[in-house]
Amino acid sequence: MARIQADFLVLGSGIAGLTFAIKAAKAHPNRKVLVLTKTDEGESNTRYAQGGVAAVWNHETDTYEKHIADTLDAGDGLCDRRIVEIVVEEGPQRVQEIIDWGARFDKEKGSDSYDLAREGGHSEKRILHYKDLTGWEMQRTLMEEADRYPNIEILEHYFALDLITQHHLGYMVIRVTPGIECYGCYALNKQNGEIDTILSRVTILCTGGAGQVYKSTTNPVIATGDGIAMAYRAKSRVGNMEFVQFHPTSLYNPAGENPSFLVSEAVRGFGAILKTAEDEEFMHLYDDRLSLAPRDIVARAIDAEMKKRGTDCMYLDCRHLDKEAFTAHFPTIYEKCLSQGVDPMRDLIPVVPACHYLCGGVAVDEYGRSSIHRLYAAGECSSTGLHGANRLASNSLLEAMVFAHRIFQDTEDKIDGWTFAENVPDWNAEGTTEPSEMVLITQSIKELKEIMSYYVGIVRSNIRLKRALDRLFLLYQETEDLYKTTTISPQLMELRNLITIAYLITRSATHRQESRGLHYTTDYPGQLPFIENSVL
Ligand code: FAD
Ligand code: SIN
């Protein structure tokens, strides 16, 4: 059981975590920046981003006002306009920064101008991309840049378990307690099974999303909402958890696959059209923007058509597109389809909605500050006010970079005034033994995903939400009993965290008695006249 000290403790090595780490390490060469990541450094949601990063780049055709208006429109009344302006206006500087660190975005043939793509809800072409592997390219760049700083240490296969606050020093901490402070975290070193105490002057949560709470998701298996669950347990405020984005087009695989493979929205931006198995278009029945309407509308339309027809998927037609251009822009998607026996140039691509992005998370202000002192959050685990009730495509990589920078700015002068906490006890594992039946954990995870997929999915209702809460409560009780008596394992912690996330989504959905953005309920199909963010 080691005790480790780091000036900056960063939880997560995706775009948010590494962007912050690089900036902090550069500005403070004598201070230690410690990054924990629960598997390999390169495994993250970031790595799988396909479409790209949205930024106003071509000032002849695009303006900040247009990007702001598109973001507000997608967010269905719940975006914080000030935050939208910050992200849109500061975003291009952050994109330039990652280009300076070595990120390659595609350029137009024979030109020095970037090849800007379009996605749903965007009124202009403004998506910078690297083929259909933008996330991989950004993750690669950040890892290489981080390697240049000797004061960044990255601990792989380290699983953060809980944030350390006054609660661990023996004080009573309840949700409304003022002045809760974060002193670091307890983390499981997966290589030796020991739980280390990691003390920090400041902690930055960059733990990403929680797609694994649903049966079908584009998110990799690491996306279990650990950071949000940890912050909630530490009594931080979390917000807007009912707004879960389902991507309309994951590749339908009858054999099932975890994660589901994404067919980027950029494919529709490139001209692909949504169709039925009978080769008929249907999006005109739902929205004037057809296949490029915002994601909530397209996902609901596909879901409705599938239910109406009793089918397992709908289709994407790319057959009219230029093969050379298509395969140059989407080589990974093309190859993946072929591997499943679908030739996008000759066949319709079977697609189905899958959980893709969590708009809610740890509630933070314009500098990424959570309601707990010395605890910040950036990226998908945070709720900044940018996305409101529905995220505009390709705005999240941008948000993560902008907020990582703002947290860096806010911590720059404060770090000297923050000290390490004393008398923090080691993790107490008294009375716990190795699990005798792993099946109790794996089966509970399966049950949880079923509950969320059937009762808290794209279309909700009071009775479904109540059923979900009742069943979640049972799972919660069983899992807490297991937690009190069983040696900590990543699987047990992920189950616990996923139950917390499921509860937060379902509870927030129950509170929202209207349909707005990504939250659609048959009991309240209209919108309330007053507009409120949810906070738990
Ligand atoms: P992540 O990149 O997910 O990183 C999270 C990190 O936290 C990981 O390193 C993980 O190991 C670590 N971690 C988690 N829990 C723990 C723990 N308990 N202990 C230690 N470490 C932990 N967005 C766009 O803007 N454009 C796109 O084109 C786009 N395409 C996408 C395509 C796919 C298939 C997916 C899944 C997402 C896409 N998104 C896209 C969304 C975007 O990729 C993510 O929102 C963004 O990358 C999140 O970055 P992050 O740094 O917050 O988290
Ligand atoms: C996609 O490429 O369709 C994903 C874009 C995003 O999630 O922002």
Side-chain angles (χ1 to χ4, degrees):
M1 287 203 288
R3 288 178 84 82
I4 301 171
Q5 282 197 346
D7 298 297
F8 297 93
L9 172 61
V10 182
L11 302 182
S13 60
I15 190 166
L18 290 183
T19 304
F20 174 82
I22 292 164
K23 285 165 181 276
K26 186 174 177 193
H28 306 277
N30 297 322
R31 291 204 179 275
K32 177 170 169 178
V33 182
L34 181 65
V35 181
L36 300 194
T37 188
K38 73 179 183 181
T39 61
D40 298 328
E41 182 189 356
E43 182 62 349
S44 60
N45 271 13
T46 300
R47 187 203 176 297
Y48 297 95
Q50 290 186 354
V53 51
V56 175
W57 210 260
N58 181 351
H59 289 274
E60 279 170 24
T61 53
D62 204 2
T63 61
Y64 292 145
E65 288 67 36
K66 286 189 196 172
H67 191 181
I68 291 167
D70 293 345
T71 305
L72 293 172
D73 185 43
D76 205 4
L78 273 191
C79 300
D80 179 336
R81 191 186 170 96
R82 203 172 38 110
I83 299 294
V84 176
E85 286 169 0
I86 287 172
V87 173
V88 167
E89 289 169 16
E90 294 180 9
Q93 296 166 57
R94 305 285 79 82
V95 174
Q96 185 58 53
E97 219 158 51
I98 197 165
I99 292 173
D100 294 342
W101 293 342
R104 301 160 296 171
F105 294 116
D106 288 350
K107 298 202 167 156
E108 285 171 2
K109 235 182 183 166
S111 149
D112 227 20
S113 305
Y114 285 109
D115 173 35
L116 302 175
R118 197 171 155 208
E119 289 179 10
H122 288 275
S123 56
E124 291 294 341
K125 288 186 168 188
R126 62 169 75 97
I127 319 291
L128 292 107
H129 62 95
Y130 174 76
K131 306 186 193 304
D132 53 5
L133 289 166
T134 311
W136 175 87
E137 175 62 9
M138 294 175 96
Q139 182 80 39
R140 177 200 67 77
T141 303
L142 291 165
M143 288 177 2
E144 285 180 17
E145 183 66 15
D147 275 351
R148 296 181 50 226
Y149 295 93
N151 55 332
I152 297 183
E153 185 181 3
I154 298 180
L155 293 179
E156 295 185 308
H157 303 283
Y158 252 81
F159 193 114
L161 302 174
D162 259 324
L163 298 169
I164 299 170
T165 65
Q166 288 97 326
H167 167 76
H168 298 92
L169 304 181
Y171 295 96
M172 167 111 156
V173 175
I174 56 170
R175 203 155 292 284
V176 290
T177 304
I180 306 176
E181 282 192 317
C182 179
Y183 306 129
C185 78
Y186 292 109
L188 172 70
N189 176 344
K190 288 163 71 180
Q191 270 137 359
N192 64 13
E194 294 199 347
I195 295 176
D196 295 342
T197 306
I198 304 186
L199 300 175
S200 64
R201 295 176 197 270
V202 61
T203 303
I204 329 293
L205 274 180
C206 304
T207 45
Q212 289 292 327
V213 77
Y214 289 90
K215 242 165 85 170
S216 165
T217 176
T218 63
N219 291 192
V221 294
I222 55 143
T224 51
D226 301 345
I228 302 169
M230 274 190 281
Y232 185 71
R233 282 198 290 274
K235 313 284 185 251
S236 165
R237 290 197 305 162
V238 296
N240 281 359
M241 291 293 287
E242 67 273 42
F243 299 116
V244 179
Q245 186 170 72
F246 285 76
H247 197 291
T249 58
S250 77
L251 183 64
Y252 173 64
N253 180 341
E257 210 178 2
N258 187 15
S260 303
F261 182 80
L262 181 73
V263 180
S264 174
E265 195 157 289
V267 173
R268 274 173 283 136
F270 196 76
I273 297 166
L274 285 164
K275 288 195 169 164
T276 66
E278 292 75 37
D279 206 8
E280 282 164 6
E281 295 186 30
F282 59 90
M283 274 310 298
H284 58 281
L285 302 172
Y286 298 90
D287 197 281
D288 292 345
R289 290 162 287 185
L290 307 176
S291 293
L292 277 179
R295 271 184 201 169
D296 55 331
I297 295 170
V298 182
R300 263 200 307 278
I302 294 180
D303 186 65
E305 289 292 323
M306 279 166 43
K307 284 189 176 133
K308 199 158 82 188
R309 292 157 195 277
T311 56
D312 291 330
C313 61
M314 297 304 279
Y315 295 89
L316 202 52
D317 190 357
C318 302
R319 295 170 300 179
H320 54 290
L321 302 174
D322 177 67
K323 180 172 178 182
E324 198 190 328
F326 185 87
T327 50
H329 193 152
F330 305 110
T332 324
I333 294 172
Y334 183 71
E335 286 303 322
K336 177 73 184 181
C337 288
L338 288 185
S339 78
Q340 242 182 252
V342 176
D343 179 348
M345 298 297 112
R346 299 163 64 146
D347 309 315
L348 294 173
I349 305 176
V351 290
V352 65
C355 171
H356 182 62
Y357 185 87
L358 183 60
C359 292
V362 178
V364 295
D365 69 7
E366 73 272 26
Y367 283 101
R369 294 178 284 224
S370 76
S371 58
I372 294 182
H373 297 307
R374 293 159 62 173
L375 179 70
Y376 293 70
E380 194 165 338
C381 70
S382 67
S383 173
T384 63
L386 175 71
H387 308 307
N390 180 24
R391 176 183 67 110
L392 183 65
S394 288
N395 261 359
S396 43
L397 295 168
L398 191 73
E399 179 196 41
M401 292 191 290
V402 167
F403 272 85
H405 178 78
R406 296 194 132 240
I407 295 172
F408 157 68
Q409 287 179 318
D410 197 64
T411 52
E412 199 174 6
D413 298 332
K414 291 182 180 156
I415 191 79
D416 293 334
W418 288 326
T419 52
F420 293 106
E422 288 173 7
N423 305 321
V424 174
D426 287 338
W427 180 268
N428 182 0
E430 221 174 278
T432 60
T433 54
E434 290 297 321
S436 53
E437 294 193 82
M438 266 311 268
V439 71
L440 296 180
I441 296 173
T442 50
Q443 197 53 33
S444 292
I445 292 181
K446 275 192 200 152
E447 270 181 53
L448 175 84
K449 285 170 181 261
E450 298 257 330
I451 294 169
M452 292 305 287
S453 303
Y454 292 122
Y455 301 135
V456 202
I458 294 177
V459 176
R460 300 163 179 177
S461 68
N462 285 345
I463 190 153
R464 289 187 204 188
L465 295 177
K466 167 142 187 358
R467 272 200 176 195
L469 278 178
D470 290 348
R471 281 153 179 71
L472 286 173
F473 185 60
L474 193 62
L475 274 180
Y476 169 77
Q477 285 178 317
E478 289 168 356
T479 306
E480 286 308 292
D481 287 346
L482 212 54
Y483 173 73
K484 283 180 203 135
T485 53
T486 311
T487 311
I488 294 295
S489 66
Q491 293 87 340
L492 176 59
M493 288 311 288
E494 286 182 348
L495 168 62
R496 244 188 128 212
N497 292 335
L498 284 170
I499 291 173
T500 303
I501 297 295
Y503 165 77
L504 292 170
I505 294 172
T506 313
R507 173 61 74 204
S508 309
T510 307
H511 285 170
R512 185 164 293 285
Q513 299 193 341
E514 62 166 349
S515 291
R516 185 181 293 281
L518 297 161
H519 173 70
Y520 181 79
T521 158
T522 51
D523 287 300
Y524 312 102
Q527 296 202 334
L528 292 171
F530 50 89
I531 297 176
E532 274 185 351
N533 284 287
S534 346
V535 178
L536 285 172

